[in-house]
Structures are given as structure tokens and as C-alpha cells.
Amino acid sequence: CCSDCFVAMDGSRLPPWWLKAVASLGAAAALALLVRHLQQKQQQDEPQPRQQPEAPRQPPAEVRQAPVAQTARASGLSGIAAQKAAATGAGPGAPDFSLPLDQDIERRLREKYSPSYLDIENQGNSCGALKVAIVMVSEAFRGQTRINRQREVQALLRPDLDSGRLHALSLMLKTPEEHEKLMAAQQG
């Protein structure tokens, strides 16, 4: 090591930072550092056994399929259409950049949630950036917390948010019972 190292009781040399660690961290932390230092030194001194690399295990064919390919087949796509959906990540719920954003959002929300009520409003008219407010009532939200509903819809619209196609999103997501209760409160 070096000439200014501290010599421990077992005769091993400790690095110069050892005394500073004891003074600033306290005995317990310094002891933990010492143990770690000695373990690392011991590992360096021991010869490492050579291990044969394991061959990667192949999962069964049905597991190896990409989830998008499975979804494309399940939705009735076959042949070239299924291959294109699997290759591009497109499939049910995937964004269609050839459609106007509000129509594309409506298509995806209807496919995934089959809402009994859906209202999509563009709130970004003044600044040019698309800000969308969505009010949706669906049985699919039954048993979910408010935050989980929002996370699920945000995940569906994540490609639009990431690409800058959608600037901001406001969500009101209700079950039919919650919607009826809200409407009754507004009436009375």
C-alpha cells in the first residue's frame, strides 16, 4: 500500500482515509467500512472459480410471441395485417397518426372501454397546443380507484403525449353509478 497507511492489529494496512472515516462517521459506520474493505481484499486474494456460461433457455413458442402479435391475432387480424401490427407495434388501441387527434383518441377509448358516455373537448384553441378534456363513463372503471383509472387512460394516450401530438390531458372518469349520482346532485 503506502507508507502513511494505518496498520491494523492483524498486520494489514488500512488506507489513509480510515482515520478520517472513524472521526467523522463514528465507530459503527467505520466498523462497517472496515469489514467491507477486508471482505473486498479477501475476495481479491482468493482465486475465482471459472463458471461455464449457461445457454439461454428458450421459452415455449406461445410465450415467445410478442404481446402485440398475440393481440393482433386475437382481434381477428391475420397474415400481412397481423405481421404489420406486430412489427409496428400497432394494433387495437395503438395510435393512428393519419387521423385527427380527437378522432383517434375517440376510436381508441371506444375500443378499449366501450363507454356509455364519452365527451372529448379541445381546450387548447387559443395557444395552438392541443389540450384535451375527456369525460368518460364506463363499466370498465368499476372497482378501480380514481388514480388507477387515470393511469390506465394516460398509458393508452402516452404515445401522443410523448410525441408532442397532445400537450395536456384532463380526465373525468366515472362508473355509470357515479355518473348517475353526479347528475342527480346537479339536478337537485
Side-chain angles (χ1 to χ4, degrees), residues 116-173:
S116 57
Y117 178 81
L118 177 61
D119 183 34
I120 301 172
E121 182 182 337
N122 179 358
Q123 296 180 330
N125 293 330
S126 61
C127 70
L130 194 53
K131 298 172 187 165
V132 174
I134 297 173
V135 178
M136 183 167 48
V137 178
S138 175
E139 288 286 334
F141 299 134
R142 188 176 310 282
Q144 289 186 356
T145 63
R146 179 175 173 245
I147 190 75
N148 285 340
R149 296 172 191 180
Q150 291 191 353
R151 284 178 179 159
E152 194 173 290
V153 172
Q154 286 174 353
L156 182 71
L157 301 176
R158 175 65 47 207
D160 299 307
L161 290 163
D162 289 344
S163 69
R165 185 177 182 205
L166 179 60
H167 177 71
L169 186 61
S170 171
L171 300 171
M172 180 183 281
L173 310 169

Side-chain angles (χ1 to χ4, degrees), residues 167-183:
H167 177 71
L169 186 61
S170 171
L171 300 171
M172 180 183 281
L173 310 169
K174 303 286 184 192
T175 64
E177 291 80 17
E178 293 168 340
H179 182 68
E180 287 175 22
K181 188 176 177 180
L182 182 66
M183 297 310 288

